[in-house]
Amino acid sequence: MAVNLTARQQAIVDYVTDYHQAHHCSPTSREVAEHFGIAPTASANHLKAIVKKGAMVKIVSATGQARGWRAP
């Protein structure tokens, strides 16, 4: 399924994927914000939009806490 992402959203997906391959865990939304030079709120909003579009899935622990993102 093709997902219609903005250029920034695609860059974030690529960064999260590369980060996960290098570190075996997802970056925090703060790390995403620092990497792209944007506010943490903007980073969180981009990540929410990417999940909503189906390009990534939010990983949630058994207790309901966010633990990162991964490809669907």
Side-chain angles (χ1 to χ4, degrees), residues 1-70:
M1 168 174 84
V3 179
N4 190 19
L5 298 176
T6 66
R8 175 63 59 114
Q9 290 170 345
Q10 185 60 56
I12 290 172
V13 169
D14 294 341
Y15 172 71
V16 170
T17 301
D18 292 345
Y19 186 100
H20 191 273
Q21 289 176 350
H23 302 283
H24 305 290
C25 64
S26 298
T28 64
S29 60
R30 184 170 300 279
E31 288 170 325
V32 172
E34 289 172 2
H35 179 80
F36 288 97
I38 59 178
T41 331
S43 169
N45 289 339
H46 279 301
L47 290 162
K48 286 178 192 175
I50 292 166
V51 169
K52 186 175 180 180
K53 290 180 177 183
M56 288 193 308
V57 176
K58 188 175 185 178
I59 302 168
V60 180
S61 72
T63 59
Q65 293 193 328
R67 293 292 178 213
W69 303 270
R70 65 171 176 78

